[in-house]
């Protein structure tokens, strides 16, 4: 028995196999899925051997030896040993793609199962090492730069449990982001930098270090404080607007010189910033936005956003909304405002 609410180790392995298959499908690699399935099926078998019974610390290690002895693929044998990794802070990651998939599946199975039956960490108590499992998932996604979206990864694991658990995907995702935030602060990033990036809930965690580097570089620019403050002001204006603001802008409704100048600058700057963002050059994308400081300052100095005429008001709100969306692609820059 693995857990009285989650069944036997056999049932657990069936779930790990299903989750590994889901991960391989998200990676678009059928051969990886086949090898990961074989490794997942055999990952816990050495637990019933006398060797591991006598020396529990050899779990996985003995499984690898047995797999090699039975002439199984080296990738499968390595994955059987590596699926426990990372076992502690600073531990190595699985050495191959098969091991990474099975290790992710194993840790997600634990997280989804335990959260699904209400066994969540409280205070200093974490009997099932869920914090460690979450950090293991984070490290693999970040350090291996895997093209996996966190929400899909977590929600894709839930169906393996059938009706045994309550779907806690949202809570697990929050838990992982919280662990990521703590880890990043321990690595020396400021709370402002971390908050600016993680507020947007980036789905590919491998992008997070690049986004943080971009935010740090942007914050060092002389234009940064004014743009961060402007972005915060825009955010507050949009929150007070009635309903969802349409980012569409009609050029014929631009009346003031400052709003025309801002619109013209946006036509040049935003496509360049968008192109750099799509290419993954987040630092260059944010640096491009620095050119908007002067027209943005002038806009707020000379233009009444909440004009009495409805068409003018909506058009100006649309202008700010399109600027807000562009400025917040990499991170929520308003979080950098002091």
């Amino acid at each position: 028995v693995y857990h009285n609410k989650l069944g036997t180790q056999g049932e657990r392995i069936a779930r790990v196999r299903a989750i590994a298959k889901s991960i391989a499908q998200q990676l678009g690699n059928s051969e990886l899925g086949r090898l990961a399935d074989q490794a997942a099926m055999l990952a816990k078998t050495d637990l019933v051997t006398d060797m591991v019974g006598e020396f529990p610390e050899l779990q996985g290690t003995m499984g690898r030896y047995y797999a090699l002895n039975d002439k199984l693929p080296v990738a499968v044998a390595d994955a059987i040993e590596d699926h426990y990794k990372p076992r502690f802070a600073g531990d190595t990651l699985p050495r191959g793609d098969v091991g990474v998939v099975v290790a992710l599946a194993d840790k997600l199975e634990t997280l989804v199962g335990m959260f699904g039956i209400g066994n969540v960490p409280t205070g200093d108590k974490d009997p099932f090492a869920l914090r460690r499992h979450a950090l293991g998932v984070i490290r693999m996604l970040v350090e291996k730069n895997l093209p996996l979206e966190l929400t899909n990864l977590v929600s894709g694991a839930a169906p393996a449990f059938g009706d045994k658990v309550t779907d806690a995907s949202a809570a697990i995702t929050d838990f992982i982001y919280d662990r990521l935030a703590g880890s990043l602060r321990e690595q020396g990033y400021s709370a402002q930098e971390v908050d600016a990036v993680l507020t947007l809930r980036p789905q590919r965690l491998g992008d997070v270090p690049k986004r943080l580097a971009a935010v740090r570089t942007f914050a060092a620019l002389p234009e940064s404080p004014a743009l961060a403050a402007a972005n915060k002001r825009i955010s507050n204006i949009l929150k007070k607007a009635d309903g969802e603001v349409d980012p569409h802008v009609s050029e014929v409704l631009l009346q003031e010189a400052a709003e025309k100048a801002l619109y013209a600058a946006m036509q040049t700057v935003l496509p360049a910033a968008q192109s750099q963002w799509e290419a993954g050059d987040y630092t260059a994308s944010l640096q491009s936005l620095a050119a908007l400081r002067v027209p943005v300052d002038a806009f707020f100095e000379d233009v009444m956003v909440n004009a009495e005429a409805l068409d003018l008001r909506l058009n100006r709100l649309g202008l700010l909304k399109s600027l807000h969306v562009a400025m917040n692609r990499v991170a929520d820059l308003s979080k950098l405002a002091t």
Side-chain angles (χ1 to χ4, degrees):
V1 174
Y2 164 56
H3 189 284
N4 60 358
K5 292 184 179 180
L6 297 173
T8 64
Q9 286 283 11
E11 290 174 286
R12 182 189 186 193
I13 284 300
R15 294 192 293 265
V16 173
R17 291 176 70 183
I19 296 168
K21 180 180 179 181
S22 170
I23 294 170
Q25 286 176 339
Q26 291 175 53
L27 290 170
N29 191 326
S30 59
E31 177 62 11
L32 176 60
R34 185 185 69 80
L35 292 172
D37 182 65
Q38 187 176 24
M41 180 176 66
L42 300 171
K44 308 292 185 185
T45 52
D46 66 352
L47 297 180
V48 297
T49 64
D50 290 341
M51 182 65 81
V52 176
E54 184 72 20
F55 304 103
E57 67 273 14
L58 292 180
Q59 65 179 11
T61 302
M62 292 311 304
R64 180 175 183 274
Y65 283 130
Y66 297 137
L68 291 173
N69 185 69
D70 284 351
K71 305 296 188 293
L72 293 178
V74 173
V76 171
D78 288 346
I80 291 171
E81 178 177 6
D82 288 353
H83 85 279
Y84 292 105
K85 297 178 180 179
R87 297 157 296 185
F88 49 84
D91 191 18
T92 58
L93 298 183
R95 68 199 89 177
D97 293 342
V98 180
V100 168
V101 169
V102 181
L104 280 173
D106 186 59
K107 289 167 176 56
L108 286 168
E109 193 278 338
T110 302
L111 288 165
V112 173
M114 291 302 165
F115 268 80
I117 60 174
N119 277 349
V120 299
T122 54
D124 293 333
K125 295 181 179 179
D126 187 9
F128 296 96
L130 301 186
R131 294 186 179 96
R132 177 167 57 80
H133 284 303
L135 286 170
V137 170
I138 289 166
R139 280 195 59 200
M140 284 184 278
L141 292 176
V142 171
E143 295 177 33
K144 297 289 185 178
N145 195 22
L146 297 175
L148 294 168
E149 296 195 353
L150 183 60
T151 299
N152 292 342
L153 190 64
V154 174
S155 62
F161 287 82
D163 59 359
K164 279 186 178 294
V165 303
T166 301
D167 187 355
S169 296
I172 295 167
T173 303
D174 289 344
F175 183 71
I176 291 173
Y177 279 119
D178 285 344
R179 300 282 74 71
L180 175 57
S183 174
L184 292 170
R185 287 194 293 268
E186 288 175 3
Q187 293 172 43
Y189 293 103
S190 72
Q192 275 184 310
E193 291 168 340
V194 172
D195 196 20
V197 171
L198 295 192
T199 292
L200 299 187
R201 295 295 186 99
Q203 286 296 300
R204 283 189 57 169
L205 299 193
D207 281 349
V208 169
K210 291 190 293 182
R211 291 184 183 225
L212 283 165
V215 166
R216 182 166 283 182
T217 300
F218 174 79
L221 297 174
E223 296 89 353
S224 169
L227 280 174
N231 195 45
K232 188 172 184 177
R233 185 173 179 181
I234 292 169
S235 180
N236 290 335
I237 290 171
L238 294 175
K239 285 177 184 176
K240 294 176 182 177
D242 294 330
E244 186 66 23
V245 175
D246 182 356
H248 177 75
V249 179
S250 171
E251 197 170 356
V252 297
L253 290 174
L254 299 173
Q255 293 189 346
E256 304 289 343
E259 62 182 333
K260 291 178 181 178
L262 176 57
Y263 179 77
M266 287 168 59
Q267 303 316 297
T268 303
V269 171
L270 298 191
Q274 168 74 6
S275 178
Q276 290 157 338
W277 180 79
E278 290 174 351
D281 192 347
Y282 301 135
T283 299
S285 183
L286 287 186
Q287 287 176 322
S288 293
L289 295 176
L292 293 175
R293 179 197 167 173
V294 171
V296 167
D297 285 350
F299 177 88
F300 280 119
E301 183 72 26
D302 300 337
V303 179
M304 174 66 72
V305 176
N306 290 317
E308 289 189 16
L310 179 61
D311 56 349
L312 294 182
R313 182 166 71 249
L314 293 178
N315 203 54
R316 288 168 183 173
L317 287 171
L319 181 67
L320 293 181
K321 178 63 178 286
S322 59
L323 177 60
H324 187 64
V325 169
M327 291 179 70
N328 280 8
R329 284 198 184 98
V330 176
D332 184 349
L333 301 182
S334 65
K335 300 294 183 181
L336 302 178
T338 54

